Amino acid sequence: MNYQITINRVNTVDEIEEYWTNEDYIKLLEKFDYPDADDGDAASLRELLFMAISDFESKDAAAVLLEYKLSEDLNEGQIQQISNDMLLDKVCEEYPEIGLHSTLFHINQLLFKAYNGTFPNAKATIVECSLVPIEDENDNVLTKENILKLLNNGLSGSNLIKRLFDLPMTENAPFPEAEDILWDVKTADNLNYTITTSEYWLSREDIIASEFEGVLEIVVDAE
């Protein structure tokens, strides 16, 4: 199926504001020895959390956040190792399990802001685009894999996704990594999409065309 792809906007951000909830802030305040926080608005709770975090060594604060969010994915030794590594490197881009990149990014950026830049500053990319079938009616809900394959023709040859996953990006081959490369995909009409990922995977400079065509082969399972 042929698609017309239009890139409407590309933003580079250093945090996804809606990620951390009031409930998160209250639970984290308890972990940082501030148990009597009022259930106020996110801004006031966030400031209280930053104040509470500042009483801890940066690597210890990182370990608390890692345990809070990733205790089911990482063991104690891994948490201690990452909490040390985060001070020196962008672990949210370099960690071998890309399924953890998104959560590591949110943890890293909370610490980056709480400690006024002590931690490396990572970035996310938000792409607003339309993916419109040229001839057929739009009756397909596009998956993350579909979306990345459709974006291929508008990306620079130096883009990391294209370099690491050339075969699944250009051929009708499975691309399970797409689920972790794209952190979030939102659409209200299956035509206009807002895509969030790491700048590590997709930067503003990687997008070299604002309008282009793509071909998507939809595999239909035989009954």
Side-chain angles (χ1 to χ4, degrees):
M1 183 181 295
N2 295 326
Y3 279 76
Q4 177 66 37
I5 297 97
T6 304
I7 306 297
N8 299 310
R9 180 180 299 178
V10 182
N11 288 332
T12 303
V13 299
D14 64 2
E15 69 175 327
I16 310 298
E17 293 182 359
E18 62 270 21
Y19 178 79
W20 297 101
T21 66
N22 283 20
E23 182 181 2
D24 287 324
Y25 290 136
I26 292 169
K27 288 181 177 179
L28 284 170
L29 280 163
E30 293 177 355
K31 291 181 177 295
F32 284 102
D33 300 331
Y34 199 108
D36 299 321
D38 294 329
D39 188 8
D41 60 70
S44 61
L45 289 171
R46 181 182 171 94
E47 288 303 315
L48 283 175
L49 178 59
F50 284 3
M51 290 173 58
I53 285 177
S54 67
D55 290 334
F56 285 71
E57 292 291 333
S58 52
K59 64 180 179 62
D60 295 332
V64 170
L65 287 166
L66 288 164
E67 191 279 332
Y68 174 68
K69 277 294 185 181
L70 292 171
S71 60
E72 295 183 2
D73 301 283
L74 302 171
N75 60 41
E76 184 177 348
Q78 290 171 316
I79 287 174
Q80 291 303 318
Q81 183 64 54
I82 293 173
S83 66
N84 284 304
D85 293 344
M86 289 180 73
L87 286 161
L88 303 173
D89 302 309
K90 295 181 182 179
V91 178
C92 58
E93 298 178 354
E94 300 172 2
Y95 198 68
E97 294 183 36
I98 64 175
L100 302 185
H101 282 196
S102 173
T103 305
L104 288 170
F105 167 82
H106 297 300
I107 292 171
N108 186 91
Q109 292 311 103
L110 184 66
L111 291 165
F112 171 79
K113 292 181 179 293
Y115 285 100
N116 295 314
T118 299
F119 287 78
N121 188 19
K123 301 289 181 66
T125 301
I126 301 175
V127 180
E128 296 178 16
C129 60
S130 61
L131 309 169
V132 181
I134 292 176
E135 296 178 354
D136 300 307
E137 293 184 3
N138 182 56
D139 56 359
N140 292 312
V141 177
L142 296 176
T143 65
K144 293 179 179 180
E145 177 178 330
N146 297 154
I147 291 168
L148 278 179
K149 292 186 177 197
L150 285 174
L151 291 177
N152 182 71
N153 289 344
L155 301 181
S156 164
S158 62
N159 170 255
L160 184 61
I161 305 170
K162 293 184 69 167
R163 288 192 285 116
L164 291 183
F165 303 102
D166 176 67
L167 181 63
M169 282 287 281
T170 57
E171 298 185 18
N172 189 20
F175 192 7
E177 296 86 356
E179 286 297 316
D180 296 323
I181 291 173
L182 294 186
W183 296 348
D184 186 54
V185 173
K186 294 178 181 177
T187 181
D189 56 9
N190 295 332
L191 293 172
N192 298 288
Y193 291 81
T194 300
I195 302 160
T196 304
T197 186
S198 172
E199 186 185 46
Y200 171 76
W201 291 114
L202 181 63
S203 69
R204 182 191 298 270
E205 290 73 24
D206 286 329
I207 300 175
I208 57 174
S210 59
E211 294 187 11
F212 52 95
E213 292 187 11
V215 179
L216 183 63
E217 297 183 40
I218 303 293
V219 178
V220 179
D221 294 331
E223 296 183 358

